[in-house]
Amino acid sequence: MRVLLTNDDGLGSPGLLALARALRPVADVLVVAPEHERSAASHAITLHKPLRAVPAALGDTGLPAWATSGTPADCVLLAVLDLLGRPPDVVVSGINVGANLGMDLIYSGTVSGAVEATLSGIAAIAVSVASFTDIQWGPAAAFSAHLAQEVHRHGLPKDTFLNVNVPNLPAKEIRGVEITRQSARRYVNRLEKRADPRGRDYYWLTGSAEAGSADPGTDAAAVAEGRISVTPLRLDMTYEELRTSLRSWDLRWPLR
Ligand code: MN
């Protein structure tokens, strides 16, 4: 099994290193990651300036690795279209510092690394740990390595991928795995407005997760209850019920 790793926290992230070390015994590991952090880059790709990819060291692993000037989606494109020679069997994006739950998926560079692989027809997983501090990489790394093998064995349907969130707990305290759906979790109090030393206003995007969005069966609920969340996702965002009800609207062309 050949596994491509990418992330949005940059090649120097300990999450990427932990993932590489866990996968190395079970796969040929190749790494293409942004040279700098690109968290919340979503699915941006670089069209208007050159992209660079330079060979780089991933810790002391000696694994083939490239640092790129691009986003996670750029990294997967560069890997698949040139750097790897032939496509990998599985792409794992992460392990991200911080959860990717609910509406985080809209902004997440980690998830978009998996999405770009999915668009290229490669089975993909996005993996995140639900903390920004004192992160325990072990359980997420071990579970990712196991899941990558399962994904390789079973395959995934076209245009689908898996989003994994691991509670930041010691292995013994994690209460199993739950197959979940995406929650409606989103952010509140998102903007701070301040004055700079010259008296001009500036803004800082921020925010905290909205309370009460962890309905049972969702990604957010599973992680809150100490379980590893595995959410199957698809690229097709069509909402079928709304498609039906829109037919009763007055939508026509030519307009009258
Ligand atoms: Mn990140």
Side-chain angles (χ1 to χ4, degrees):
M1 172 169 74
R2 294 169 81 240
V3 178
L4 168 67
L5 307 186
T6 192
N7 74 354
D8 76 356
D9 294 331
L11 191 78
S13 172
L16 186 63
L17 187 58
L19 188 59
R21 287 190 170 135
L23 271 158
R24 196 175 190 178
V26 295
D28 290 336
V29 177
L30 309 132
V31 182
V32 182
E35 60 192 346
H36 303 301
E37 180 175 351
R38 305 301 294 262
S39 291
S42 185
H43 208 93
I45 55 171
T46 302
L47 295 180
H48 301 293
K49 58 185 178 183
L51 272 172
R52 305 284 181 186
V54 296
L58 183 69
D60 59 1
T61 62
L63 291 168
W66 290 264
T68 88
S69 59
T71 63
D74 285 328
C75 287
V76 173
L77 285 167
L78 288 172
V80 171
L81 298 176
D82 187 70
L83 297 172
L84 301 195
R86 62 193 167 91
D89 298 305
V90 178
V91 171
V92 185
S93 184
I95 302 166
N96 189 58
V97 175
N100 275 305
L101 302 166
M103 299 305 158
D104 291 337
L105 276 59
I106 302 289
Y107 303 102
S108 173
T110 304
V111 169
S112 284
V115 167
E116 189 57 55
T118 306
L119 285 169
S120 297
I122 302 162
I125 312 165
V127 186
S128 307
V129 173
S131 179
F132 292 100
T133 55
D134 299 323
I135 295 175
Q136 319 228 12
W137 298 109
F143 186 75
S144 301
H146 176 74
L147 182 60
Q149 293 172 89
E150 282 292 287
V151 162
H152 186 225
R153 184 193 331 205
H154 295 280
L156 289 171
K158 183 177 162 57
D159 294 344
T160 69
F161 65 102
L162 302 178
N163 182 42
V164 178
N165 282 274
V166 180
N168 191 38
L169 296 169
K172 276 187 251 174
E173 291 174 32
I174 292 178
R175 298 161 64 192
V177 177
E178 183 174 341
I179 310 303
T180 57
R181 62 191 156 82
Q182 185 182 359
S183 63
R185 181 181 180 273
R186 65 192 73 199
Y187 290 85
V188 292
N189 305 320
R190 301 191 57 191
L191 188 64
E192 288 193 20
K193 183 177 180 180
R194 301 177 187 170
D196 73 16
R198 296 189 174 84
R200 294 171 303 199
D201 290 338
Y202 71 96
Y203 299 92
W204 206 287
L205 286 168
T206 170
S208 50
E210 180 182 53
S213 51
D215 292 335
T218 62
D219 51 12
V223 169
E225 290 159 16
R227 288 188 289 277
I228 296 172
S229 166
V230 179
T231 313
L233 294 166
R234 63 178 169 201
L235 303 188
D236 179 353
M237 293 194 281
T238 309
Y239 182 38
E240 282 297 333
E241 286 94 332
L242 183 56
R243 195 164 160 254
T244 302
S245 67
L246 276 177
R247 292 200 182 103
S248 68
W249 291 25
D250 179 19
L251 301 175
R252 66 178 108 190
W253 189 267
L255 297 171
R256 273 186 270 149

